Amino acid sequence: MRIHSYNKRETIPVNLRIILADDHPFVILGIRAALEMHAGVTVVDEATNPFSLIERLRSTPCDVLVTDLAMPEHSLAIDDGLNLVRRIRTGWPQLRVVVMTTLANAAILRAIVSDGAVSMVGKAESMDELWQAILAARHGETYLGRSIIEALAQPQDPECEQPPAPRLTGKQAAVVRLLVSGQSISDIAAVLGCDRRTVTRQKREAMAKLGVTNDPGLFSYVRAYGILNFESHI
């Protein structure tokens, strides 16, 4: 398997068709907006669970699929994301796939990236990292994000797969809880009775503590570990 890296000056052919799949519509909205800033890119369809993803693939031609690895509507089992990827690769062997994940299980990651048509990036990584993976996929190459490479390089201890609970303040936890429930910054400010700038600051500080850099990473982290597991204090 060849791992390829593309620089920002490279361009892609026009009419690059992408299908996005994530169980959080807000995440899809953000990724769509970021990708469609690139000339020639069109998000031709979206899916929020594995069933709808398979239906979209059957009905909508695309060049690259960008999909979350674990969507709870399918199952909460950690290896079901691997089964979904295998099903897609069997049904659409010519399709290039970019997987987004917070998973750190080296065995499952290795099983996925062993397929030369599948690239993978961490959900906490930047949109530029995702774009590089899409560029590589479009050119028939495989791309692994930095967090994926680091996870593959380290031996995994099953007892240490869940990170220590971050210490969020009560307000930070409240902001994150409301955000992942689908409320906007303005909505959260109204609920908490504070200024939008305060909500934005609390969100930024919470993300820093959780070690994520964007909304997809935040949603994925909360889905994986649960906001109730955060050790909150005022």
Side-chain angles (χ1 to χ4, degrees), residues 21 95 232:
L95 179 64
S232 303

Side-chain angles (χ1 to χ4, degrees), residues 163-169 206 209-211 221 225-226 229-233:
R167 294 179 61 87
L168 299 184
T169 67
K209 289 182 178 181
L210 300 179
Y221 192 105
Y225 303 114
N229 290 332
F230 299 165
E231 185 178 349
S232 303
H233 59 90

Side-chain angles (χ1 to χ4, degrees), residues 15 34 46 49 84 98-99 118 142 147 163 167-168:
N15 301 324
E46 302 171 355
N49 58 65
L84 174 62
V98 176
V99 170
V118 178
T142 301
S147 65
R167 294 179 61 87
L168 299 184

Side-chain angles (χ1 to χ4, degrees), residues 51-107:
F51 176 79
S52 64
L53 173 55
I54 297 301
E55 291 300 305
R56 300 299 185 275
L57 290 173
R58 287 172 177 165
S59 62
T60 308
C62 70
D63 303 301
V64 178
L65 165 65
V66 177
T67 181
D68 188 8
L69 181 61
M71 291 183 273
E73 289 85 350
H74 185 250
S75 170
L76 294 176
I78 194 170
D79 61 347
D80 280 350
L82 173 58
N83 293 334
L84 174 62
V85 171
R86 285 174 171 168
R87 181 179 178 185
I88 292 169
R89 292 290 301 125
T90 299
W92 293 268
Q94 301 305 314
L95 179 64
R96 306 299 297 192
V97 180
V98 176
V99 170
M100 304 178 298
T101 185
T102 56
L103 184 65
N105 185 302

Side-chain angles (χ1 to χ4, degrees), residues 10-225:
E10 290 192 66
T11 60
I12 57 175
V14 295
N15 301 324
L16 174 62
R17 303 164 300 175
I18 296 175
I19 289 180
L20 297 178
D22 194 287
D23 58 306
H24 286 288
F26 184 75
V27 172
I28 291 179
L29 182 64
I31 296 175
R32 171 192 277 270
L35 294 182
E36 290 189 336
M37 291 178 62
H38 297 278
V41 173
T42 303
V43 176
V44 293
D45 220 330
E46 302 171 355
T48 56
N49 58 65
F51 176 79
S52 64
L53 173 55
I54 297 301
E55 291 300 305
R56 300 299 185 275
L57 290 173
R58 287 172 177 165
S59 62
T60 308
C62 70
D63 303 301
V64 178
L65 165 65
V66 177
T67 181
D68 188 8
L69 181 61
M71 291 183 273
E73 289 85 350
H74 185 250
S75 170
L76 294 176
I78 194 170
D79 61 347
D80 280 350
L82 173 58
N83 293 334
L84 174 62
V85 171
R86 285 174 171 168
R87 181 179 178 185
I88 292 169
R89 292 290 301 125
T90 299
W92 293 268
Q94 301 305 314
L95 179 64
R96 306 299 297 192
V97 180
V98 176
V99 170
M100 304 178 298
T101 185
T102 56
L103 184 65
N105 185 302
I108 295 178
L109 293 180
R110 289 191 185 98
I112 293 173
V113 302
S114 65
D115 186 326
V118 178
S119 297
M120 182 174 287
V121 297
K123 269 198 160 184
E125 294 172 16
S126 68
M127 287 297 99
D128 182 64
E129 193 88 24
L130 175 59
W131 177 241
Q132 298 305 309
I134 292 171
L135 279 178
R138 184 64 180 87
H139 286 282
E141 302 291 345
T142 301
Y143 185 98
L144 300 183
R146 285 165 289 184
S147 65
I148 303 300
I149 293 174
E150 291 173 1
L152 291 172
Q154 296 179 3
Q156 299 296 300
D157 182 349
E159 297 182 355
C160 299
E161 287 184 358
Q162 181 162 321
R167 294 179 61 87
L168 299 184
T169 67
K171 290 183 179 179
Q172 289 168 351
V175 167
V176 172
R177 186 181 294 108
L178 291 170
L179 185 68
V180 299
S181 72
Q183 299 197 44
S184 67
I185 295 295
S186 297
D187 292 336
I188 296 172
V191 170
L192 299 181
C194 60
D195 188 85
R196 293 180 71 259
R197 289 173 295 182
T198 301
V199 174
T200 299
R201 177 174 55 81
Q202 295 285 357
K203 173 191 174 185
R204 183 173 61 249
E205 292 173 351
M207 290 173 69
K209 289 182 178 181
L210 300 179
V212 298
T213 59
N214 53 40
D215 287 340
L218 179 63
F219 276 77
S220 242
Y221 192 105
V222 173
R223 184 178 60 207
Y225 303 114

